[in-house]
């Protein structure tokens, strides 16, 4: 009676009992990092004194910080390349593609576990790998051979029936799921897909869906491994990696939903949240300023071929800036060879590198007040780099058609040819540098001036007495906490510098205020820290002296990152207590050394002379880690 999730967890279980809601730990077969989170992960791996990684496979990708407007990013790339060679890690060079796309093509395996320092790591769930996003420190621990701790998830089944109609794509399926479950709906859950409809979805189409499971807050998303999986692996010359995976007929799920693909329409996520969903038909006709196609969600070969087929013989409307970033060197090389790239260029598309690019605000920020249609996965406020822009998420077909018409348009009303299936991908792995254990000893790790030493934290004091520095509402993203974009990302390995940007667009002068007050406490609404896995959203506040965050609830990865860096995450029990706290109030959390699992804790508000109860979701290990001042301290203290 097992689900796919239970089957993979069972075969990788390292600690705990597979009972929903219980703390467990699983072995990780593979890890991946990208450059924006990787520098920290490898600095942490080095701090742990690990010589060669203990996983079956670890890959370091360079795909985020590729706009080199100063020496910083290039220095980071050089550090990453040398540290990979030193510790037995595959290195995917800048230009080779977006981590999730390349991992799906060349490395992800059904039935295996994968931990990645990027929230969209579950992309590999499209091929049947239990792939989880985490902070860089957790990934460093996995590379060091330590099991990954998580809560035994609930499992949700989404049954797909029917078949997608022309002009409707797998992006529309996941946007539909987001409209049903919301950005909080997946927290603590793995989403499994099944049903007849699955059989007509290719691996990249499945991966689009599992990729955006991150936007549901899900721990991961999984598709079965079947004949389609086998065929994809054959086409990538990786047939030997195939194993079958499916849920048992009588598997029990915590929730189930059905989506009829026959009647599904093109969907669109309106500003500023991936779950603010409408049908394209409802908003058709709105003037569009930018269309950006690509990102780890929609940059596969077939995505690009559909776009090229739509654009062929047309030209982007004069007021539309059209950008295309193919997801990998494999994809770009193939469309360059077969002429599809020429059709895009002829249509006025601005061809970008095979990297994240505009998705992470690395260039291509739209004009003021722009309406930008993007095939990406996140449309959080400010993420594009233009605060007044309105970002919408759509399928590649909707974006391409709208680029031609200049207004939001339904691709079902546009005449184009569906591209032909292929029977083999172009394989050329020369931009992936294999580690050579023999030569590792001779490798010198190269650190430019932008690679600063890791900041450390002190153990938690018995009593935390601090001012409330900031009070925020619901669904605060890690983009709010630690902005990305071309101006900030170059400082990912320089915590002192990057910490000056914390809450930049939420509260001006936040970092200075923290300095003036000697740190503080944050108050937040529900789903605090949703979105990206960037541990800088915990590490930089730690550096600024933030000791505790009291929220209505937390997003999974961010909660883990807070523990990793010694910031105490507490939850309100009564929502009214949230309303009664004001910025500037002095809060006192006493007896932290007596914290215990499943125990309430009372917080005193010294300013209003009141107190209120809080709960927490901390295991004994989490508590020990917090008291030590974070994971690195904990590991050091417990090294024999
Ligand atoms: C993102 O999509 O926000 C990122 C950039 O890929 C992040 C990681 C990061 O902040 O570096 C993610 O999703 O985890
Ligand atoms: Fe890159 Fe965007 Fe994917 Fe994050 S979501 S990995 S920034 S393409």
């Amino acid at each position: 009676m097992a689900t796919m999730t239970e089957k993979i967890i069972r075969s990788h279980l390292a600690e705990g009992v597979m009972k929903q809601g219980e703390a467990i730990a699983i072995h990780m077969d593979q890890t991946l990092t990208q450059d924006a989170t990787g520098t920290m992960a490898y600095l942490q791996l080095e701090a742990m004194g690990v010589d060669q990684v203990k996983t079956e496979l670890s890959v370091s990708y360079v795909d985020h910080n590729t706009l080199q407007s100063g020496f910083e990013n290039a220095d980071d790339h050089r550090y990453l390349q040398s540290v990979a060679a030193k510790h037995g890690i595959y290195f995917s060079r800048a230009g080779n593609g977006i981590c999730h796309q390349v991992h799906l093509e060349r490395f992800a395996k059904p039935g295996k576990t994968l931990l990645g320092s990027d929230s969209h790591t579950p992309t590999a769930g499209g091929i049947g790998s239990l792939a989880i996003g985490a902070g860089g420190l957790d990934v460093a621990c996995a590379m060091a051979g330590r099991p990954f701790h998580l809560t035994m998830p609930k499992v949700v089944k989404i049954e797909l029936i029917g078949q997608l109609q022309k002009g409707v794509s797998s992006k529309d399926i996941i946007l539909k799921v987001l409209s049903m479950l919301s950005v909080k709906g997946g927290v603590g859950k793995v989403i499994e897909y099944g049903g007849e409809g699955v059989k007509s979805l290719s691996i990249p189409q499945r991966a689009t869906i599992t990729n955006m499971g991150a936007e549901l807050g899900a721990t991961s998303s999984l598709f079965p491994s079947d004949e389609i999986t086998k065929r994809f692996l054959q086409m990538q010359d990786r047939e030997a990696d195939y194993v079958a995976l499916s849920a048992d007929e009588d598997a029990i799920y915590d929730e189930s939903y059905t989506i009829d693909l026959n009647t599904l329409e093109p969907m669109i996520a309106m500003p500023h949240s991936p779950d603010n969903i409408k049908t394209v038909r409802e908003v058709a006709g709105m003037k569009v300023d930018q269309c950006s196609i690509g990102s780890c969600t929609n940059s596969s070969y077939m995505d690009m071929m559909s776009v090229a087929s739509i654009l062929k013989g047309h030209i982007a409307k004069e007021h539309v800036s059209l950008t295309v970033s193919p997801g990998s060197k494999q994809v770009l090389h193939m469309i360059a060879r077969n002429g599809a790239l020429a059709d895009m260029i002829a249509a006025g598309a601005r061809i970008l590198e095979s990297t994240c690019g505009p998705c992470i605000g690395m260039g291509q920020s739209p004009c003021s007040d722009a309406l930008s249609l993007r095939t990406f996965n996140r449309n959080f406020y400010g993420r594009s780099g233009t605060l007044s822009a309105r970002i919408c998420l759509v399928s590649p077909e909707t974006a391409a058609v709208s680029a031609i018409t200049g207004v939001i348009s339904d691709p079902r009303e546009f005449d184009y040819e569906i591209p032909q299936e292929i029977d083999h991908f172009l394989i050329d792995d020369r931009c992936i540098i294999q580690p050579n254990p023999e030569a590792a000893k001779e490798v010198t790790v190269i650190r430019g001036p932008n690679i600063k030493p890791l900041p450390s934290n002190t153990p938690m004091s018995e009593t935390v007495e601090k001012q409330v520095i900031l009070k925020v509402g619901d669904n605060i993203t890690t983009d709010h906490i630690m902005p990305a974009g071309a101006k900030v990302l170059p400082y990912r390995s320089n915590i002192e510098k990057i910490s000056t940007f914390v809450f930049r667009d939420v509260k001006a002068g936040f970092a200075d205020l923290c300095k003036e007050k000697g740190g503080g406490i944050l108050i937040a609404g529900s789903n605090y820290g949703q979105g990206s896995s960037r541990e800088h959203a915990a590490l930089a506040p730690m550096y600024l002296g933030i000791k505790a965050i009291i929220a209505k609830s937390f997003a999974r990865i961010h909660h883990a990152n807070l523990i990793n860096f010694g910031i105490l995450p507490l939850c309100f029990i009564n929502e009214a207590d949230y309303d009664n706290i004001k910025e500037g109030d002095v809060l006192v959390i006493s007896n932290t050394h007596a914290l215990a699992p499943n125990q309430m804790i009372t917080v005193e508000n010294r300013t209003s002379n009141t107190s209120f109860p809080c709960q927490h979701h901390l295991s004994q290990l989490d508590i020990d880690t917090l008291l030590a001042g974070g994971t690195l301290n904990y590991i050091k203290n417990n090294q024999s």
Side-chain angles (χ1 to χ4, degrees):
M1 314 200 305
T3 61
M4 295 184 280
T5 311
E6 287 160 346
K7 289 184 186 183
I8 302 183
I9 291 182
R10 178 161 299 126
S11 60
H12 290 80
L13 194 67
E15 287 166 32
V17 181
M18 288 175 55
K19 214 173 123 222
Q20 203 185 88
E22 296 280 311
I24 57 165
I26 55 175
H27 292 294
M28 284 295 167
D29 300 318
Q30 303 188 338
T31 64
L32 71 77
T33 58
Q34 38 91 339
D35 49 337
T37 54
T39 47
M40 269 303 138
Y42 296 113
L43 285 169
Q44 285 150 349
L45 184 74
E46 290 187 288
M48 286 178 211
V50 175
D51 178 21
Q52 295 290 294
V53 291
K54 308 277 194 302
T55 45
E56 288 175 13
L57 173 98
S58 288
V59 192
S60 169
Y61 293 92
V62 175
D63 54 2
H64 282 62
N65 288 340
T66 54
L67 201 68
Q68 291 153 222
S69 54
F71 65 92
E72 293 87 355
N73 293 345
D75 275 9
D76 282 2
H77 302 168
R78 206 167 49 161
Y79 164 72
L80 289 169
Q81 183 162 354
S82 60
V83 87
K86 184 97 198 154
H87 297 290
I89 297 151
Y90 284 71
F91 181 72
S92 171
R93 294 162 57 181
N96 192 50
I98 306 175
C99 54
H100 308 303
Q101 174 67 25
V102 178
H103 208 81
L104 190 74
E105 292 167 357
R106 307 303 304 143
F107 295 114
K109 295 184 186 176
K112 295 282 182 185
T113 50
L114 164 69
L115 193 71
S117 61
D118 190 285
S119 58
H120 291 104
T121 304
T123 310
I127 208 165
S129 164
L130 183 64
I132 300 179
L137 185 47
D138 282 328
V139 177
C141 288
M143 287 190 276
R146 301 173 80 91
F148 174 67
H149 293 265
L150 74 163
T151 307
M152 181 66 200
K154 291 186 178 170
V155 186
V156 176
K157 167 90 179 272
I158 300 193
E159 177 96 0
L160 302 177
I161 56 171
Q163 210 171 339
L164 289 173
Q165 304 299 299
K166 185 177 173 190
V168 188
S169 89
S170 63
K171 178 60 151 271
D172 301 311
I173 302 179
I174 186 64
L175 292 178
K176 176 76 186 172
V177 176
L178 273 152
S179 76
M180 290 156 52
L181 301 185
S182 91
V183 291
K184 293 184 257 197
V187 177
K189 302 170 190 169
V190 174
I191 319 285
E192 290 193 5
Y193 291 84
E196 277 300 298
V198 162
K199 297 198 180 130
S200 58
L201 296 177
S202 68
I203 296 303
Q205 283 178 311
R206 296 175 183 186
T208 294
I209 296 171
T210 54
N211 172 284
M212 282 192 77
E215 275 52 68
L216 297 164
T219 303
S220 194
S221 300
L222 261 177
F223 270 84
S225 172
D226 55 12
E227 284 305 308
I228 305 224
T229 319
K230 192 176 190 175
R231 182 90 199 91
F232 177 83
L233 286 167
Q234 273 166 352
M235 286 162 61
Q236 291 282 359
D237 284 350
R238 299 207 284 130
E239 198 182 346
D241 291 343
Y242 175 73
V243 292
L245 174 73
S246 59
D248 292 335
E249 288 281 313
D250 52 357
I252 298 171
Y253 295 92
D254 296 284
E255 295 164 38
S256 321
Y257 304 88
T258 303
I259 297 178
D260 183 357
L261 304 186
N262 290 327
T263 55
L264 189 70
E265 298 193 36
M267 314 291 277
I268 179 166
M270 301 300 285
H272 295 283
S273 181
D275 63 356
N276 186 12
I277 306 289
K278 292 206 179 329
T279 61
V280 167
R281 214 159 29 99
E282 282 174 278
V283 291
M286 284 172 77
K287 186 166 167 253
V288 172
D289 302 283
Q290 184 186 49
C291 291
S292 290
I293 298 169
S295 92
C296 57
T297 322
N298 276 119
S299 58
S300 67
Y301 172 78
M302 281 308 258
D303 281 339
M304 291 296 132
M305 291 306 292
S306 299
V307 168
S309 168
I310 290 170
L311 293 178
K312 192 176 173 129
H314 296 278
I315 183 87
K317 207 63 174 182
E318 58 271 20
H319 61 263
V320 177
S321 171
L322 169 64
T323 73
V324 179
S325 343
S328 66
K329 174 169 162 286
Q330 180 180 79
V331 172
L332 180 56
H333 195 171
M334 286 175 74
I335 63 172
R337 284 207 168 175
N338 71 12
L341 184 63
D343 292 333
M344 294 178 177
I345 295 170
R350 302 167 65 180
I351 308 298
L352 307 179
E353 293 190 89
S354 293
T355 59
C356 303
C359 178
I360 189 63
M362 271 285 155
Q364 305 300 331
S365 298
C367 62
S368 298
D369 305 322
L371 185 72
S372 172
L373 297 195
R374 298 175 161 213
T375 68
F376 309 166
N377 45 37
R378 293 190 168 139
N379 58 346
F380 299 149
Y381 175 70
R383 184 173 159 99
S384 70
T386 304
L387 288 180
S388 65
R390 293 157 295 150
I391 310 295
C392 304
L393 308 175
V394 295
S395 71
E397 290 80 359
T398 302
V401 171
S402 305
I404 297 168
T405 60
V407 293
I408 298 181
S409 303
D410 189 330
R412 291 174 302 174
E413 289 161 12
F414 192 86
D415 190 26
Y416 69 98
E417 265 180 47
I418 296 185
Q420 282 199 333
E421 298 287 337
I422 46 164
D423 54 21
H424 202 258
F425 290 100
L426 194 158
I427 317 286
D428 175 1
D429 286 335
R430 284 173 303 161
C431 280
I432 301 174
I433 302 175
Q434 292 199 19
N436 174 358
E438 249 97 90
K441 280 199 182 52
E442 310 308 321
V443 174
T444 309
V445 176
I446 310 170
R447 288 166 229 275
N450 194 42
I451 313 276
K452 296 277 190 250
L454 278 178
S456 57
N457 196 10
T458 46
M460 187 175 291
S461 54
E462 173 79 28
T463 305
V464 175
E465 177 172 347
K466 294 277 171 202
Q467 262 194 21
V468 174
I469 298 273
L470 175 69
K471 179 175 173 180
V472 288
D474 293 341
N475 292 325
I476 289 295
T477 70
T478 49
D479 279 272
H480 287 110
I481 307 168
M482 186 72 261
K487 297 195 182 84
V488 185
L489 281 168
Y491 303 113
R492 281 289 177 95
S493 26
N494 182 345
I495 300 303
E496 183 184 351
K497 176 79 181 172
I498 208 168
S499 66
T500 61
F501 296 95
V502 173
F503 282 119
R504 180 192 61 190
D505 303 326
V506 176
K507 187 180 177 93
F510 177 86
D512 291 335
L513 192 62
C514 287
K515 273 189 207 135
E516 188 191 315
K517 303 283 179 199
I521 293 178
L522 304 182
I523 302 296
S526 60
N527 203 22
Y528 180 77
Q530 69 156 326
S532 115
S533 67
R534 63 189 71 147
E535 60 190 349
H536 299 74
L539 183 48
M542 171 211 100
Y543 182 80
L544 294 173
I546 300 300
K547 294 293 176 200
I549 300 180
I550 311 178
K552 291 183 186 167
S553 67
F554 291 89
R556 175 188 64 87
I557 304 179
H558 190 60
H559 188 261
N561 285 339
L562 290 173
I563 297 165
N564 277 344
F565 294 103
I567 299 179
L568 179 63
L570 294 179
C571 291
F572 289 104
I573 296 179
N574 308 313
E575 302 236 331
D577 293 329
Y578 166 89
D579 299 333
N580 293 336
I581 301 181
K582 287 192 249 359
E583 285 181 10
D585 284 1
V586 175
L587 303 185
V588 185
I589 307 167
S590 327
N591 292 330
T592 61
H593 293 187
L595 265 173
N598 305 320
Q599 221 180 52
M600 273 179 22
I601 182 162
T602 302
V603 178
E604 195 190 328
N605 186 334
R606 200 144 276 177
T607 309
S608 63
N609 257 332
T610 53
S611 59
F612 58 93
C614 283
Q615 58 184 347
H616 61 76
H617 304 286
L618 304 169
S619 66
Q620 191 56 52
L621 176 65
D622 295 337
I623 293 170
D624 295 342
T625 305
L626 281 164
L627 294 182
T631 299
L632 280 180
N633 289 357
Y634 176 81
I635 292 177
K636 267 187 220 142
N637 297 347
N638 290 282
Q639 243 155 16
S640 44

